[in-house]
Amino acid sequence: EKGGYEHFMLKEIHEQPKAVRDTVMPRIAKDNLSVILNELKWNKEYLDSFHKIFIVACGTAYHAGLVGKYYIEKLARIPVEVDIASEFRYRSPIIDEHTLVIVISQSGETIDTLAALKETKRLGAKTLAITNVVGSSIARDADEVIYTWAGPEIAVASTKAYTTQLVTVFLLAMYMAGIKKCISPERTKQLLTQLRKLPDQIDRTLEDPEPIKTFAKKYGFNEDVFFIGRSLDYDVALEGALKLKEISYIHAEAYAAGELKHGTLALIIEGVPVIALATQKSVYEKTISNIKEIKARDAIVIGITSESNDTLVKCVDHVIKVPNTDELLIPLLTVVPLQLLAYYAAITRGCDVDKPRNLAKSVTVE
Ligand code: F6R
């Protein structure tokens, strides 16, 4: 049932090209000029009735929500707030019929997410679930559902659910932008053409895990690892750090690169591994200057960037490159080496990859 892989997690990492393909392909129009979400029957009036969107989720799904905020704000220009479900429930958020609440959950059974959904419905908000399990509690309770077609995810550490959540929030943002006409046909075509290429590109990022295995062996016994990035790279850094801590038990922290000097830089000393994501043009130079500050303290920097980048290599110790795509979509590629790094670090340390200590796949109790 593990299809020849040693663990479900590795199998599921390798299933990502198919999972992403199944989730996006039926939803892109043949001419790449629009997104088809037959599950939603929205029009401009309906969309304009929302003054605000909340995205509510836990763990990895919350990290997908952060990317969703970026996509929706950037493409559809609607304000979005992202909340951790267990916090959202208890902080009396301001919600009414002009609010859209999007919940994201792989299992569709996470108790905090489900409770947040019920509470927001009670307050009159419209609700939309993004989930992987057909007929799950969250799917049944929400007003509308968009399914991720990742297939069953068995490993406790979420991988293919995350990438399919990312493409789903991307499709949703494009759908909204299309309705609001705040994206040009040229830009739509450009993005959807790139989106079609993603499954094959994810495949390519999986082709040669050897450099990552080497890093895992080399740094697998370090006590701390830091992940840094800005903008979308920061969102992916958060997910990379979560993956590493949950399955390898290495203490990992993700920081917005610009936030380092407000405290964490004190922990950056000789030999500490720092994974630096640098893919976003608008903040690239800023990230580079943060990397230089880190190198000045003799930490080890592993940079992650796109194939066409030839400058990062000059200021880091190692570079991992992913295929070129639009910078909005690159999180789908940069997260893959981070998943593999967590996997191989866990193997190096002899951890039970599919069933990490103290964790359950579906958190149905508070
Ligand atoms: C981490 C992980 C968890 C889940 C979280 C939410 O790898 O899997 O953080 O993402 O428990 O679960 P769902 O998406 O089922 O609501």
Side-chain angles (χ1 to χ4, degrees):
E1 61 192 41
K2 287 181 199 152
Y5 291 99
E6 208 179 325
H7 296 97
F8 281 110
M9 183 181 176
L10 192 60
K11 173 174 178 259
E12 289 162 7
I13 288 173
H14 282 268
E15 281 170 350
Q16 290 180 110
K18 178 179 184 329
V20 167
R21 195 175 287 123
D22 291 350
T23 303
V24 299
M25 290 312 179
R27 291 163 169 157
I28 307 176
K30 279 207 175 62
D31 56 8
N32 290 342
L33 281 171
S34 63
V35 163
I36 306 159
L37 281 177
N38 288 329
E39 350 4 29
L40 311 179
K41 306 263 178 295
W42 294 2
N43 56 28
K44 188 158 183 322
E45 194 190 358
Y46 181 72
L47 198 52
D48 284 345
S49 74
F50 300 128
H51 300 166
K52 183 157 185 179
I53 297 174
F54 283 95
I55 301 180
V56 182
C58 302
T60 288
Y62 167 75
H63 294 156
L66 296 173
V67 175
K69 169 188 167 78
Y70 190 90
Y71 288 162
I72 294 170
E73 290 189 341
K74 181 100 184 171
L75 297 168
R77 307 304 293 158
I78 305 169
V80 182
E81 203 170 320
V82 194
D83 257 281
I84 294 168
S86 57
E87 290 293 319
F88 183 77
R89 284 177 68 183
Y90 299 111
R91 71 168 175 85
S92 62
I94 300 164
I95 286 169
D96 58 18
E97 69 277 18
H98 297 296
T99 318
L100 172 67
V101 176
I102 302 172
V103 293
I104 307 180
S105 172
Q106 186 284 127
S107 63
E109 302 296 343
T110 301
I111 188 75
D112 283 313
T113 312
L114 180 61
L117 171 65
K118 287 185 195 286
E119 177 63 6
T120 53
K121 265 180 84 174
R122 197 184 63 79
L123 293 168
K126 292 281 184 303
T127 56
L128 166 64
I130 295 176
T131 181
N132 195 41
V133 179
V134 177
S136 56
S137 305
I138 286 175
R140 278 184 278 123
D141 265 18
D143 297 324
E144 292 174 297
V145 186
I146 307 176
Y147 286 106
T148 50
W149 298 117
E153 193 180 61
I154 310 289
V156 165
S158 183
T159 54
K160 61 177 181 170
Y162 174 77
T163 38
T164 56
Q165 285 159 357
L166 290 197
V167 285
T168 303
V169 288
F170 181 76
L171 288 166
L172 180 63
M174 291 290 288
Y175 176 75
M176 291 177 176
I179 292 173
K180 286 187 68 179
K181 296 203 183 347
C182 54
I183 185 167
S184 69
E186 295 73 33
R187 181 69 176 136
T188 303
K189 191 160 191 167
Q190 202 179 35
L191 282 167
L192 295 182
T193 306
Q194 290 300 322
L195 185 60
R196 277 188 194 277
K197 292 184 186 159
L198 266 183
D200 289 338
Q201 292 182 316
I202 297 174
D203 229 356
R204 276 177 51 210
T205 61
L206 290 164
E207 264 167 19
D208 180 20
E210 285 312 315
I212 294 166
K213 277 189 198 173
T214 310
F215 296 142
K217 285 205 182 97
K218 208 161 165 188
Y219 305 112
F221 292 96
N222 278 61
E223 282 182 22
D224 306 289
V225 174
F226 293 92
F227 291 75
I228 63 157
R230 285 169 180 256
S231 178
L232 282 172
D233 287 334
Y234 170 50
D235 300 336
V236 177
L238 285 164
E239 175 59 8
L242 177 62
K243 283 296 87 99
L244 190 65
K245 56 191 145 187
E246 74 174 323
I247 60 166
S248 79
Y249 316 146
I250 297 174
H251 170 235
E253 295 284 346
Y255 273 88
E259 189 66 8
L260 273 180
K261 49 165 133 331
H262 300 285
T264 312
L265 202 54
L267 294 172
I268 307 290
I269 53 171
E270 188 182 345
V272 171
V274 179
I275 320 281
L277 292 98
T279 68
Q280 301 293 306
K281 274 186 218 78
S282 60
V283 287
Y284 184 74
E285 290 307 324
K286 300 278 173 201
T287 306
I288 295 296
S289 47
N290 296 128
I291 291 172
K292 286 181 179 157
E293 286 159 4
I294 292 167
K295 275 314 298 170
R297 280 140 190 104
D298 293 323
I300 311 292
V301 181
I302 300 168
I304 301 189
T305 190
S306 60
E307 234 154 42
S308 58
N309 178 302
D310 51 17
T311 54
L312 188 62
V313 66
K314 293 177 201 135
C315 53
V316 299
D317 298 275
H318 313 279
V319 181
I320 297 172
K321 289 192 172 180
V322 299
N324 292 326
T325 182
D326 192 280
E327 65 177 10
L328 282 181
L329 293 170
I330 208 158
L332 273 297
L333 301 177
T334 50
V335 75
V336 176
L338 304 188
Q339 295 168 339
L340 289 172
L341 185 67
Y343 176 78
Y344 289 112
I347 298 289
T348 302
R349 295 160 70 94
C351 302
D352 186 351
V353 174
D354 284 337
K355 286 204 169 54
R357 66 185 180 207
N358 311 339
L359 300 175
K361 180 66 185 159
S362 181
V363 183
T364 52
V365 287
E366 268 194 72

